[in-house]
Amino acid sequence: MSGNTMFNIFPSSAEEAVAMLYVQSQDLTGKSPSEIYTMFQEAYYEVRKDRREKQKSGAIRQVGFSYHGNSEMFCRLVDAYDWDFCQIQYNYMDEHSQAGRRGLQYAASKGIPVIIMEPLRGGKLVGLLPDEAKQLFADYAVRRSPAEWALRWLWNQPEVTCVLSGMN
């Protein structure tokens, strides 16, 4: 547990996040800050113990997270825990938003496999392209569908571990 966690806005691990949720769900009426912090410490210890036991038994194989915020917070979250994987929304339209290329490269540099969701941005990169973009694809010497261009853009980045196929 890092420092005085009770006053941190962002938990520094998955266990801290669960412990914070547990404490926030309790009736804290009349409890002193010291008592609340003790509740947090006890919950944190139990969550860590439970996760270790479940990993040893095989009930939990890997610990990861799915992310939709900005790249700065993504990098902080990557550093907060020894993650087995992460999942980000990433496609050529979102290259510089959310975790973006910066987050993708940062996680990969830490040895964390990166799973990509929304590779076609909910179908927008296929069926809702502006006419100008459709014409660019049509005029190119190599004939590929907009979906193939979008997926190839992802697959050509060595930091991408897996691309989910959840597409509209």
Side-chain angles (χ1 to χ4, degrees), residues 3-167:
N4 189 347
T5 309
M6 189 170 143
F7 299 104
N8 287 344
I9 294 172
F10 300 103
S12 65
S13 70
E15 288 91 352
E16 284 187 14
V18 172
M20 287 171 78
L21 290 171
Y22 169 77
V23 170
Q24 290 171 7
S25 72
Q26 302 303 303
D27 180 4
L28 304 177
T29 306
K31 301 258 189 235
S32 70
S34 177
E35 290 172 310
I36 295 169
Y37 189 67
T38 299
M39 288 174 67
F40 171 79
Q41 287 178 316
E42 291 169 356
Y44 174 79
Y45 173 78
E46 288 302 314
V47 169
R48 284 186 66 89
K49 180 180 159 195
D50 186 55
R51 182 192 50 85
R52 281 194 302 271
E53 288 171 1
K54 286 190 167 136
Q55 280 187 296
K56 282 181 184 175
S57 75
I60 295 175
R61 290 186 285 178
Q62 296 183 324
V63 178
F65 67 97
S66 179
Y67 188 80
H68 291 277
N70 65 40
S71 60
E72 180 183 342
M73 289 308 304
F74 176 80
C75 294
R76 288 179 63 186
L77 186 56
V78 163
D79 288 338
Y81 189 74
D82 186 21
W83 301 105
D84 296 313
F85 69 92
C86 65
Q87 179 175 291
I88 62 172
Q89 177 172 317
Y90 187 63
N91 51 64
Y92 67 76
M93 192 171 171
D94 293 318
E95 182 178 9
H96 301 291
S97 64
Q98 295 199 23
R101 181 179 294 273
R102 177 178 171 222
L104 170 71
Q105 291 175 338
Y106 189 75
S109 76
K110 300 285 187 171
I112 300 172
V114 182
I115 299 167
I116 303 301
M117 61 180 151
E118 294 290 342
L120 301 180
R121 194 112 188 292
K124 288 184 174 102
L125 300 181
V126 177
L128 298 175
L129 287 174
D131 290 337
E132 186 177 319
K134 290 177 187 174
Q135 193 60 50
L136 285 171
F137 287 144
D139 291 346
Y140 197 74
V142 177
R143 298 285 182 227
R144 293 189 176 116
S145 70
E148 187 175 357
W149 282 116
L151 293 171
R152 282 178 175 269
W153 183 85
L154 290 166
W155 293 328
N156 284 327
Q157 296 178 60
E159 301 89 355
V160 171
T161 304
C162 174
V163 178
L164 297 179
S165 63
M167 303 172 208

